[in-house]
Amino acid sequence: MQRGNQTSVSHFILVGLHHPPQLGVPLFLTFLVIYTLTVSGNGLIILTVLVDTQLHRPMYWFLCHLSLLDMTISSAIVPKMLAGFLLDSKMISFGGCVIQLFSFHFLGCTECFLYTLMAYDRFLAICKPLHYATIMTRSVCNYLAIGTWLGGTLHSLFQTSFICRLPFCGANQVDYFFCDIPAMLRLACADTTINELITFVDIGFLALTCFVLILTSYGYIVAAILRIRSADGRRNAFSTCAAHLTVVIVYYVPCTFIYLRPGSQEPLDGVVAVFYTVITPLLNPIIYTLRNKEMKAALWRLGGRKVVKPH
């Protein structure tokens, strides 16, 4: 891997999602609505959990972190995408591209760790209910949450540093809707075999490890649920777990498709990436509110507080 002059390319052009020109405005409006719902929905979850003392428990504390991650991931990607649908200029500076790449991998990796942590939390709550309160204390929750953010930071620094060491001196059109590793590797003026291997091993190992831990946790959870005698109890437990697994699958499957093929140049890659950058952040507030009785009740209480006047 050669070290090149990073200033030889001062900016990149984000090609964006390939679409007929007449679909520019409809796509802009569609993604604008999705982005608005994502930010408002996740913001409402954070507000509800912070305000409602009945939700001051580890499960909802981690949900707050997940909502914050979804808001920031979406905000790091979607606004630039929206501008690309309407404006002829799709330019992004070299520094802006590096910041976007770092931000996405920092937030995305943190979210992977958080999904694993949320699965472990559900495992303790369902499989070890008598010990749950003593194991998952507030300080432990704080340390675990900080650990996910720290892990995401280290991962992103590692990946971004290897991208920044590559020389970019030729074409500057990023055939993607944001600056990401596979698209950037295609523009480098050097052999990227080592970078592709690093991406495959690093992201592949992290994703596979987290996914296996999640599946292992839910394997124990399902076995514990099947031993519950109450039909309502089994139904409620399955509902909560199914919601989490749905989000995990929608997030992990597209990620695996993209990052285990870092040298791919398939036009379908951009469409697949929309799932974990745009769709998943929208799904989280929908799934965790509509399928969760406690969250729905807390939302009703929050709405009631807005209209109740002090005597």
Side-chain angles (χ1 to χ4, degrees), residues 110-223:
T110 302
E111 189 155 330
C112 283
F113 292 146
L114 188 62
Y115 282 136
T116 309
L117 182 56
M118 293 173 75
Y120 176 67
D121 174 69
R122 290 300 85 205
F123 161 76
L124 290 178
I126 295 175
C127 299
K128 299 181 180 296
L130 299 180
H131 303 283
Y132 179 75
T134 56
I135 296 175
M136 198 61 73
T137 61
R138 176 170 295 185
S139 59
V140 169
C141 288
N142 290 333
Y143 286 132
L144 290 174
I146 292 171
T148 63
W149 290 87
L150 180 61
T153 302
L154 295 176
H155 162 79
S156 187
L157 284 172
F158 178 73
Q159 288 291 338
T160 305
S161 65
F162 276 93
I163 290 293
C164 289
R165 293 176 62 187
L166 289 172
F168 296 95
C169 53
N172 67 341
Q173 287 198 342
V174 181
D175 192 14
Y176 220 51
F177 60 92
F178 71 102
C179 294
D180 198 11
I181 292 174
M184 298 297 292
L185 291 180
R186 293 196 289 268
L187 299 180
C189 304
D191 182 15
T192 60
T193 303
I194 294 179
N195 293 78
E196 293 177 16
L197 180 62
I198 289 172
T199 300
F200 179 87
V201 173
D202 179 34
I203 298 180
F205 173 76
L206 288 177
L208 181 62
T209 301
C210 290
F211 196 56
V212 168
L213 289 174
I214 291 171
L215 291 181
T216 301
S217 296
Y218 278 99
Y220 282 106
I221 289 171
V222 169

Side-chain angles (χ1 to χ4, degrees), residues 18-40:
H18 295 280
H19 63 276
Q22 62 270 24
L23 291 182
V25 173
L27 285 173
F28 170 82
L29 294 174
T30 300
F31 281 97
L32 178 61
V33 170
I34 292 175
Y35 177 64
T36 303
L37 292 175
T38 298
V39 173
S40 58

Side-chain angles (χ1 to χ4, degrees), residues 237-250:
F238 267 123
S239 177
T240 301
C241 296
H244 186 189
L245 275 178
T246 299
V247 174
V248 167
I249 291 171
V250 172

Side-chain angles (χ1 to χ4, degrees), residues 248-266:
V248 167
I249 291 171
V250 172
Y251 185 81
Y252 270 94
V253 172
C255 279
T256 303
F257 179 80
I258 296 295
Y259 293 107
L260 295 189
R261 303 156 49 252
S264 171
Q265 300 188 29
E266 294 290 335

